[in-house]
Amino acid sequence: MSTLTEVEAVIVAGGRASRMGGVDKPALEVGDRTMLGTALAAVEGCARVTVVGPHRDDLDPHIHQVQESPAGTGPVAALAAADPTADLVVTLAADLPFITPGTVVALLEALNSDAHAEAAFAVDTDGRLQFLLAAWRTPALAARLAALGGDVANRPMKVLLPERHVTVPVPETTDCDTPADLHAARRAHPGRIAADPAEARRLLRDALLPVPSRVVPVAEARGATLAAALVAAEALPPVPTSAMDGFAVAGDGPWVLRTEIRYAGDGSALTLRDGEAARIATGAHLPEGATAVVRDEFVHVDGDRVTRLPDAPVRDDARRRGEDWEPGKVLAQAGTPVAPAVASAAASGEVTRLEVRGPLRVHIVVTGDEIRRSGPLRPGQTRDSLGPVLPDLVRWCGAEVSGEGHLRDTADGFDALLSGTRDADAVVIVGATGGGAADQLRGALARAGAHTVVERVRCKPGGSQVAAVLPDGRAVLGLPGNPVAAVATLLVMLPAIVDGRTGRIPPAPLLGPLANAEEVAGDITRLLPARQGTDGRWLCDNAVRTSHLAGLIGRTAVAVVPPRAVDGDLVELIPLPR
Ligand SMILES: Nc1nc2c(c(=O)[nH]1)N[C@H]1C(S)=C(S)[C@@H](COP(=O)(O)OP(=O)(O)OC[C@H]3O[C@@H](n4cnc5c(N)ncnc54)[C@H](O)[C@@H]3O)O[C@H]1N2
Ligand code: MOO
């Protein structure tokens, strides 16, 4: 067979996947790399590799990048844009998480084994032809494209099918078109031990698919994430307005004072003729004919005569229509949380409804036969010191509580929990990450068809946490039972679930310099209660009892202290609720 050095590869990696909430499908991770990364690995060694789609800054510079025109017009347009020149070309999609270099070799061998064949196509286990997973004689592909006479946009791949072709059974053809496909592909890969909390967050965020968006009145959007940009519907100000208490004037002055006074909220008709002035209040709309506003401090009024003071600066104290923005101005991009400023800017821009995802609805469960919420403790029981405060912590992370419960340590109970909380977007389970209880949680996750994203994290406390995704997209976060570990893990991980499921752009972490790093840093990342000293540096508590939250009293944040940190290092600070 030919060596790969005579072969080009074209990877079709376009557009936003509409069936997956508009995510960038080639960038989704399955296993330990993106699906585009899997495609690139499969064609490594080819003479030239072309990726067709939106430009990706993170690709190796030797990879050729082109975009079909217009963008998003399908695979035929993408192949036309790639324009390969080597004798042979391998084409593949960027949503095939199981293809390998062997898949590519099998296609090329099949093509070479039949001198008359113009192309070799993969067929899946059901015998269906995979048009994009193919090897072509490049002139044959060029001829098929030329025969379309430039009409390549949004054409089905079958228009390229040459009469003389061979097929190759390829078991790795499973593609990822829907969330269910993606979920099934990911389940085939084991969960990971994350190197630190930052990696755990990234893995979880990337494994989650956004919930469907909805259009709601602004007041109902608080706490959600914008799914579409907030675009001003009206100019601000919509009409010329006075910025000061003073006089609306027409012309250069001096002016004759009209008896009418222009108050804010006054919409009556008033027209100034050249040489006239009228008293006006801050926020009032300018009368017709007004050329400027002069504030009280800059004029002298004598009867009905108004003159500008000789040393007063000549300045217009009016706000002009559109001075702040014109209609169509993007006030906040998609992915922005609907915080008070966003809701307020929507009001200023005359926008009454927003397209949003979320707020994230979280179902909270504490587990453990020994845990008791209220009433006197019986022998063997432990007071539930987490259940009463978890709702506050969940809301602090920017989510809503859709339900709460206490679960006994039985397999049935865990199964019922996972199948019965479908109105939630995420399930937070406390105290089932280690020992026997963990088997209940992991067993129930396996029976429910979950994909475990994070199996453990290299950090202390919180190392035993589990994060998984259920087939319907719900996130499951298993928090360690020790209360300090549970709180630290929740504060680190729940915001990542909000990001992943609502499409929120991850907020930049809050950073601060450490005061006593050398005392508290260990071999793995530590999550420690911290407070700010008078010199502005952050002091961490080294010896923290994890069985109660009293150690968090008077502390402002949980510091994420990386291994071998030194004094003065900037570290992430996760604010604690006040
Ligand atoms: N042999 C080992 N045992 C444990 C290890 C270990 O590495 N080897 N790790 C310890 C650490 S660290 C943690 S954290 C816990 C994690 O265990 P689970 O997530 O399964 O949690 P539980 O065993 O159910 O509970 C641990 C601890 O916390 C108390 N707890 C649980 N829920 C509450 C609540 N709502 N309010 C107050 N206290 C709660 C529970 O009674 C236990 O004392 O495993 C350690 N063991
Ligand atoms: O895993 Mo435990 O969470 O270290 O405290």
Side-chain angles (χ1 to χ4, degrees):
M1 65 153 280
S2 35
T3 62
L4 284 182
T5 51
E6 297 156 16
V7 180
E8 270 191 61
V10 176
I11 301 172
V12 176
R16 306 261 143 199
S18 55
R19 282 196 276 173
M20 295 213 207
V23 296
D24 178 15
K25 200 161 63 160
L28 290 176
E29 286 195 16
V30 175
D32 56 0
R33 61 187 169 201
T34 64
M35 290 196 279
L36 178 55
T38 297
L40 288 167
V43 299
E44 203 180 310
C46 285
R48 185 168 85 149
V49 177
T50 301
V51 173
V52 192
H55 187 86
R56 296 172 192 276
D57 293 337
D58 56 340
L59 291 191
D60 195 299
H62 78 259
I63 293 167
H64 192 59
Q65 297 200 49
V66 294
Q67 168 96 73
E68 73 280 14
S69 172
T73 44
V76 176
L79 293 182
D83 195 21
T85 54
D87 290 347
L88 299 173
V89 57
V90 170
T91 64
L92 62 173
D95 65 349
L96 302 165
F98 299 110
I99 54 162
T100 64
T103 317
V104 170
V105 169
L107 288 165
L108 289 165
E109 280 179 353
L111 182 59
N112 280 332
S113 67
D114 183 339
H116 299 293
E118 293 179 310
F121 291 93
V123 288
D124 66 16
T125 41
D126 297 330
R128 274 190 307 255
L129 204 69
Q130 300 299 307
F131 288 103
L132 259 185
L133 188 52
W136 284 83
R137 296 194 199 284
T138 306
L141 176 61
R144 299 296 303 170
L145 286 166
L148 298 175
D151 182 14
V152 292
N154 299 312
R155 302 295 299 271
M157 276 297 289
K158 66 168 186 268
V159 300
L160 296 180
L161 188 68
E163 240 167 66
R164 292 179 314 236
H165 66 263
V166 288
T167 59
V168 193
V170 174
E172 305 90 31
T173 54
T174 311
D175 60 0
C176 286
D177 280 334
T178 64
D181 294 341
L182 181 68
H183 189 83
R186 284 175 167 169
R187 270 181 66 196
H189 294 271
R192 276 215 261 162
I193 298 175
D196 54 32
E199 189 188 40
R201 273 194 297 225
R202 188 185 62 74
L203 289 170
L204 184 54
R205 191 184 288 136
D206 290 352
L208 295 168
L209 287 179
V211 299
S213 66
R214 57 204 180 100
V215 177
V216 295
V218 175
E220 289 170 31
R222 290 298 317 284
T225 301
L226 290 179
L230 166 61
V231 178
E234 176 54 286
L236 190 73
V239 294
T241 310
S242 177
M244 295 285 169
D245 292 337
F247 295 85
V249 299
D252 293 339
W255 305 278
V256 177
L257 184 60
R258 298 269 301 244
T259 52
E260 297 93 332
I261 298 178
R262 203 68 180 162
Y263 294 109
D266 182 354
S268 63
L270 171 64
T271 303
L272 298 184
R273 286 184 298 271
D274 193 34
E276 287 186 334
R279 286 201 65 86
I280 193 164
T282 303
H285 293 177
L286 259 56
E288 283 294 310
T291 55
V293 169
V294 188
R295 67 182 77 175
D296 283 336
E297 301 89 304
F298 293 169
V299 295
H300 173 73
V301 184
D302 183 10
D304 71 349
R305 200 178 150 76
V306 181
T307 42
R308 198 187 289 274
L309 292 174
D311 52 351
V314 178
R315 184 188 295 168
D316 182 9
D317 285 319
R319 294 171 62 213
R320 297 293 160 189
R321 174 184 156 87
E323 186 175 293
D324 295 273
W325 64 65
E326 294 289 349
K329 161 94 174 164
V330 173
L331 300 175
Q333 59 176 321
T336 307
V338 184
V342 171
S344 173
S348 299
E350 294 299 320
V351 174
T352 56
R353 296 169 78 76
L354 296 174
E355 186 179 350
V356 296
R357 293 192 169 89
L360 186 86
R361 298 162 302 170
V362 177
H363 188 97
I364 305 169
V365 206
V366 295
T367 68
D369 293 345
E370 82 283 15
I371 301 300
R372 176 125 198 199
R373 182 78 171 253
S374 57
L377 291 180
R378 298 207 191 85
Q381 289 187 327
T382 299
R383 178 64 67 206
D384 178 11
S385 64
L386 274 175
V389 297
L390 282 171
D392 281 343
L393 291 156
V394 163
R395 286 189 280 268
W396 177 252
C397 292
E400 276 179 4
V401 178
S402 60
E404 286 180 66
H406 178 197
L407 203 63
R408 306 296 297 267
D409 292 327
T410 65
D412 286 359
F414 279 83
D415 288 341
L417 169 71
L418 297 184
S419 62
T421 49
R422 291 182 193 274
D423 58 338
D425 306 311
V427 183
V428 168
I429 304 175
V430 186
T433 65
D439 299 336
Q440 307 285 18
L441 176 58
R442 287 187 172 78
L445 285 170
R447 286 189 294 279
H451 153 55
T452 297
V453 183
V454 176
E455 185 63 56
R456 293 184 61 80
V457 182
R458 284 184 48 78
C459 68
K460 199 175 162 197
S464 59
Q465 64 183 279
V466 181
V469 184
L470 289 164
D472 65 359
R474 273 174 298 155
V476 180
L477 181 60
L479 304 177
N482 281 335
V484 169
V487 169
T489 305
L490 185 75
L491 294 179
V492 168
M493 297 297 278
L494 189 58
I497 298 179
V498 175
D499 297 342
R501 297 237 65 198
T502 71
R504 185 174 71 173
I505 298 165
L510 186 69
L511 301 176
L514 273 186
N516 59 338
E518 276 148 45
E519 179 197 346
V520 298
D523 289 341
I524 62 171
T525 303
R526 296 191 72 191
L527 303 173
L528 298 171
R531 64 189 194 282
Q532 199 167 20
T534 46
D535 63 354
R537 300 198 305 168
W538 290 79
L539 201 64
C540 298
D541 300 309
N542 197 6
V544 186
R545 302 282 295 164
T546 57
S547 59
H548 58 78
L549 296 187
L552 301 185
I553 297 173
R555 301 298 179 259
T556 325
V558 170
V560 184
V561 182
R564 293 166 293 280
V566 296
D567 291 354
D569 275 1
L570 284 184
V571 299
E572 180 175 0
L573 298 160
I574 302 176
L576 282 162
R578 293 175 168 271

